[in-house]
C-alpha cells in the first residue's frame, strides 16, 4: 500500500558514469518545481566504477571505458542528495557488483538492487532484474567470479533463468526496473520509428520475452527501462483489466529525455511534466 502522503520520485536512464550530470539535472528540477524528490530509481548502465580495477571488469570497447564520476561519491567527496536505487545493465563493474549478488550499498545514498531484488520505498514495492538477455546462456549459470580475466567480461552481463525465477517469486511489484525492454510493446503502426535503429532492426525484434514474462506475471503499475538510448511511452494491457505503464528512457548524455518524475498520491501513480 502506498504512503497516504504525496511524494515524488525520479527515474533516470543510462548514466554511463555521468553522476554529476544526473544530480545537476534533478536538483535543478527540484529548485524549479519547489518539490523535493524522495528517491531516485535508475535502470542500469549506472557504471559505478570506483577505480581502474573496477573499470577493467566492465564489458565495453576500449573507447567507451571511462572512469566516470562515481569515485567522488565512493570517496565521500560528494554525496547523492537522495537515495538512489539502481539495477545492473550490460556495462557495469560486475567484478565488484557480483561480490554482492543480492545487492548492497556502494556509497551513502547509493544502493544496488542485486541480480534480482526488491525494495519497499514509501510503501511502493520496487523490483528489479539486472543485465540483458542472451538465449545461448539463459539456462546456464554465470561463470564463477574467480574466472574473471580468463573468460569474457561480457559473460557476466546476461541474466539467466535463475535470476528471472527469483523475480517471479517476489509475487508482486508496483514498479519493475529492467535494463532491456520487454518484447511486444511496440505496435505495428509505430514500426517505422524503429526500423534499422540502434539494437532494433525491426519493431518486433525490440526487447526480450523474459522481460515481458515478468511484466505479465507481476503486472506492475509502472515498468521502467533503458538500454536503447531512446525515450518511449507504452502500455501493456493485462487480461484482468490491469494496465502497466511502460516508460523507456534515453541516456543522461542526451539530456531531458533521460529523466522522468512521478507523483504518488492517495494510492495513484502519475507521471508529471519535467518542465512545467
Amino acid at each position: 500500500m502506498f504512503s497516504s502522503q504525496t511524494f515524488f520520485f525520479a527515474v533516470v536512464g543510462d548514466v554511463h558514469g555521468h553522476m554529476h550530470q544526473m544530480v545537476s539535472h534533478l536538483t535543478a528540477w527540484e529548485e524549479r518545481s519547489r518539490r523535493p524528490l524522495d528517491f531516485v530509481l535508475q535502470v542500469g548502465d549506472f557504471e559505478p566504477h570506483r577505480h581502474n580495477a573496477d573499470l577493467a571488469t566492465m564489458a565495453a570497447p576500449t573507447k567507451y571505458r571511462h572512469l566516470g564520476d562515481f569515485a567522488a561519491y565512493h570517496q565521500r567527496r560528494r554525496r547523492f542528495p537522495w537515495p538512489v536505487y539502481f539495477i545492473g545493465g550490460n556495462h557495469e563493474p560486475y567484478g565488484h557488483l557480483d561480490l554482492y549478488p543480492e545487492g548492497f550499498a556502494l556509497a551513502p545514498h547509493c544502493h544496488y538492487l542485486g541480480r534480482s531484488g526488491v525494495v519497499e520505498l514509501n510503501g511502493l514495492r520496487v523490483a528489479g532484474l539486472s543485465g540483458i538477455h542472451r538465449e545461448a546462456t539463459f539456462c546456464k549459470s554465470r561463470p564463477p567470479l574467480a574466472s574473471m580475466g580468463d573468460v569474457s567480461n561480457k559473460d557476466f552481463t546476461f541474466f539467466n533463468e535463475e535470476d528471472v525465477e527469483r523475480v517471479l517469486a517476489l509475487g508482486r511489484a508496483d514498479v519493475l526496473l529492467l535494463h532491456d525492454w520487454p518484447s511486444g510493446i511496440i505496435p505495428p503502426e509505430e514500426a517505422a520509428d524503429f526500423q534499422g535503429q540502434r539494437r532494433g532492426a525491426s519493431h518486433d525484434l525490440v526487447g526480450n520475452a523474459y522481460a515481458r514474462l515478468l511484466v505479465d506475471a507481476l503486472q506492475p503499475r509502472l515498468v521502467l527501462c533503458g538500454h536503447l538510448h531512446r525515450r518511449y511511452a507504452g502500455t501493456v494491457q493485462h487480461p484482468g483489466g490491469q494496465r502497466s505503464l511502460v516508460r523507456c528512457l534515453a541516456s543522461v548524455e542526451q539530456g531531458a529525455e533521460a529523466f522522468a518524475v512521478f507523483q504518488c498520491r492517495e494510492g495513484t501513480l502519475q507521471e508529471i511534466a519535467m518542465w512545467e
Side-chain angles (χ1 to χ4, degrees):
M1 179 70 69
F2 292 3
S3 168
S4 59
Q5 296 182 341
T6 299
F7 65 92
F8 301 87
F9 68 92
V11 185
V12 184
D14 296 18
V15 174
H16 293 297
H18 297 285
M19 285 78 179
H20 298 343
Q21 192 171 346
M22 178 188 84
V23 169
S24 176
H25 192 103
L26 292 178
T27 53
W29 178 84
E30 287 183 312
E31 291 169 2
R32 283 193 308 272
S33 66
R34 297 183 181 179
R35 295 166 172 168
L37 294 170
D38 274 41
F39 55 87
V40 174
L41 304 178
Q42 199 279 325
V43 294
D45 284 357
F46 191 56
E47 296 189 24
H49 307 303
R50 299 168 297 168
H51 39 54
N52 286 328
D54 281 350
L55 196 62
T57 73
M58 169 188 174
T62 302
K63 67 179 180 178
Y64 293 121
R65 292 191 182 196
H66 304 289
L67 194 55
D69 301 330
F70 184 71
Y73 299 88
H74 179 257
Q75 296 166 9
R76 305 194 180 194
R77 292 182 281 112
R78 294 190 63 159
R79 180 184 174 93
F80 294 109
W82 346 260
V84 177
Y85 298 87
F86 74 96
I87 58 169
N90 56 310
H91 297 301
E92 310 291 6
Y94 280 115
H96 181 217
L97 297 185
D98 270 359
L99 291 171
Y100 310 94
E102 295 183 358
F104 69 113
L106 288 77
H109 276 182
C110 183
H111 309 265
Y112 172 51
L113 289 184
R115 286 289 182 172
S116 54
V118 64
V119 64
E120 189 162 305
L121 304 168
N122 292 8
L124 198 67
R125 189 170 169 85
V126 180
L129 173 70
S130 291
I132 59 173
H133 170 248
R134 183 171 70 175
E135 189 62 32
T137 58
F138 180 70
C139 294
K140 301 178 181 179
S141 297
R142 274 181 296 278
L145 196 55
S147 68
M148 185 164 275
D150 297 323
V151 300
S152 170
N153 289 353
K154 197 170 184 179
D155 291 344
F156 294 88
T157 67
F158 306 111
F159 63 75
N160 59 24
E161 186 175 24
E162 184 178 354
D163 299 326
V164 172
E165 287 178 348
R166 284 177 176 166
V167 180
L168 287 172
L170 298 175
R172 72 171 187 87
D174 298 307
V175 179
L176 177 62
L177 303 180
L178 301 166
H179 188 55
D180 195 9
W181 301 17
S183 60
I185 64 170
I186 302 164
E189 58 267 26
E190 296 182 32
D193 292 339
F194 288 83
Q195 197 70 32
Q197 292 196 7
R198 184 176 185 265
R199 300 194 184 108
S202 173
H203 78 288
D204 56 356
L205 297 178
V206 172
N208 69 83
Y210 299 104
R212 179 57 186 261
L213 171 67
L214 293 178
V215 174
D216 291 340
L218 301 181
Q219 299 188 15
R221 299 191 186 198
L222 180 62
V223 181
L224 301 166
C225 317
H227 192 47
L228 297 191
H229 291 188
R230 65 171 293 168
R231 192 177 186 95
Y232 183 78
T235 304
V236 173
Q237 185 74 47
H238 302 291
Q242 172 88 348
R243 292 194 314 159
S244 294
L245 301 179
V246 181
R247 296 296 182 265
C248 307
L249 299 165
S251 72
V252 164
E253 293 173 278
Q254 292 170 277
E257 292 195 342
F259 300 88
V261 173
F262 291 84
Q263 174 182 269
C264 293
R265 182 179 183 182
E266 298 178 352
T268 64
L269 186 60
Q270 179 183 6
E271 186 173 9
I272 65 174
M274 284 289 291
W275 304 106
E276 61 183 3

